Amino acid sequence: MSRVTPGLACTLKWMFLCAACSVPVACITPGQERRSALVRVSHEYNDGLRWGRYQDVTAHLAAEEAQRFLARTGDLGDDFEMADDEVASISFGDDGHRAEVTVEFTWYNQRRQLLRKTLVGQDWRFLDGRWICAAQRRLQGDRFPLVPEPLAEATAPPSAD
């Protein structure tokens, strides 16, 4: 007959207790919860862009940016059509309250029927208990109508020294 050592007995008790209570064996830290939440939220946000579910998108924007975003979508008309979105990467900042999400969008203008691709960088911030897309910018590819482009800097007139 084999003998159960005290260490093995303790391990077996923990495994049984965790299985019975449906509790994971390892503890989840607040940082891990924030990371898991961002993975879910960033997919929800970008799928909202893909499928035109703008209420899913605006829920993750600051109020002023949500209004600007809805104005941009209203200006698109019927010509803009999304084909696909893919979250390419998610990089978290050291503090766990910031993250960079990179997304590739495939889309086209229905009149021109040209498939276009755009790589977008999204800056996410964890504020007041939720993730907010604080800024977006085009990293590569064609100008994407749902992401604002920076204004061209005006040339300053020569100084009169």
Side-chain angles (χ1 to χ4, degrees):
M1 186 180 323
S2 64
R3 221 166 164 228
V4 176
T5 64
L8 179 59
C10 183
T11 302
L12 291 172
K13 286 179 187 176
W14 266 108
M15 289 175 61
F16 176 76
L17 180 62
C18 290
C21 296
S22 300
V23 175
V25 176
C27 295
I28 297 176
T29 67
Q32 290 169 322
E33 283 185 31
R34 278 193 304 275
R35 289 172 186 243
S36 294
L38 179 62
V39 170
R40 180 185 48 78
V41 164
S42 65
H43 279 58
E44 179 181 288
Y45 177 89
N46 290 296
D47 287 346
L49 289 173
R50 159 73 173 98
W51 296 105
R53 293 188 308 255
Y54 298 137
Q55 71 280 1
D56 293 344
V57 175
T58 57
H60 302 294
L61 296 171
E64 306 81 36
E65 181 54 31
Q67 290 175 345
R68 288 190 291 267
F69 172 79
L70 291 174
R72 282 194 302 274
T73 62
D75 293 341
L76 291 176
D78 295 334
D79 289 337
F80 178 75
E81 187 71 33
M82 288 282 286
D84 197 16
D85 72 287
E86 181 180 345
V87 175
S89 68
I90 300 176
S91 303
F92 292 90
D94 292 337
D95 65 354
H97 288 83
R98 296 172 178 252
E100 170 76 18
V101 176
T102 306
V103 186
E104 183 177 73
F105 291 102
T106 307
W107 55 282
Y108 59 95
N109 177 303
Q110 289 190 7
R111 281 183 291 153
R112 295 192 181 133
Q113 293 294 313
L114 293 174
L115 191 64
R116 300 172 185 267
K117 289 189 177 195
T118 307
L119 192 65
V120 173
Q122 298 171 339
D123 296 323
W124 288 81
R125 304 287 181 264
F126 190 75
L127 303 169
D128 299 325
R130 67 187 187 117
W131 284 102
I132 299 291
C133 184
Q136 299 183 87
R137 68 202 167 288
R138 177 172 50 105
L139 300 174
Q140 292 178 348
D142 297 300
R143 187 173 186 274
F144 186 57
L146 295 177
V147 173
E149 290 285 324
L151 296 174
E153 294 183 25
T155 319
S159 61
D161 283 344

